[in-house]
Amino acid sequence: MYYAILAYHEEAAVESWTKEEDAALMTELLEINDRLVHEKSLGPAARLGSTQRAVTLRGKGAGMITDGPFAETKEQLLGFYVVDFPTLEAAVEAARDLRRVNPTAVYEIRPISLYVPGTPLTARDED
């Protein structure tokens, strides 16, 4: 089953890191990525750009564009992983590995349906 591991953090805190601090953290996170790739459990992963450079589309018809996402939370969604594990518990363990490296981040683990271009849609798994 596929799970999204959504990585939340206070964007201002992340942006305050020096290039060296950021590179050190990314090196450790990529070690976990490499292990998950070796285990054939990691799908797409992405580090999202700044919310200051994002826009949101909402509303009827063609919609209206507004600056950035609006969130009434301290943390912003800053990245995500798509993982393939047989159970939620296994996906949580992968998120715990990520959190050991980045203990100030918050990780949300959520089952997802993965849509791959050119492949037939399958029924949604219900747990």
Side-chain angles (χ1 to χ4, degrees):
M1 168 146 222
Y2 294 106
Y3 296 90
I5 299 177
L6 307 173
Y8 294 87
H9 209 295
E10 292 183 42
E11 191 171 45
V14 172
E15 290 175 349
S16 74
W17 297 339
T18 66
K19 286 184 180 185
E20 293 77 17
E21 290 170 323
D22 187 68
L25 175 67
M26 289 307 298
T27 296
E28 291 186 66
L29 289 174
L30 290 173
E31 288 174 6
I32 295 168
N33 286 15
D34 290 345
R35 190 194 82 228
L36 294 174
V37 166
H38 179 74
E39 294 172 358
K40 297 186 180 352
S41 296
L42 183 64
R47 186 176 192 181
L48 300 176
S50 170
T51 59
Q52 301 301 313
R53 295 184 20 222
V55 297
T56 300
L57 172 65
R58 67 177 56 183
K60 296 180 180 177
M64 177 176 63
I65 299 288
T66 59
D67 289 339
F70 176 75
E72 294 185 21
T73 63
K74 278 176 86 169
E75 297 97 8
Q76 291 78 37
L77 176 62
L78 298 184
F80 64 89
Y81 301 82
V82 174
V83 294
D84 185 9
F85 287 104
T87 65
L88 175 62
E89 292 76 18
V92 167
E93 283 307 309
R96 282 192 173 123
D97 287 340
L98 296 167
R99 193 163 191 283
R100 274 191 272 285
V101 171
N102 191 2
T104 57
V106 174
Y107 292 93
E108 175 184 344
I109 301 90
R110 186 186 303 182
I112 61 171
S113 298
L114 188 62
Y115 301 106
V116 179
T119 62
L121 296 178
T122 57
R124 200 171 85 184
D125 290 331
E126 298 292 331
D127 288 321

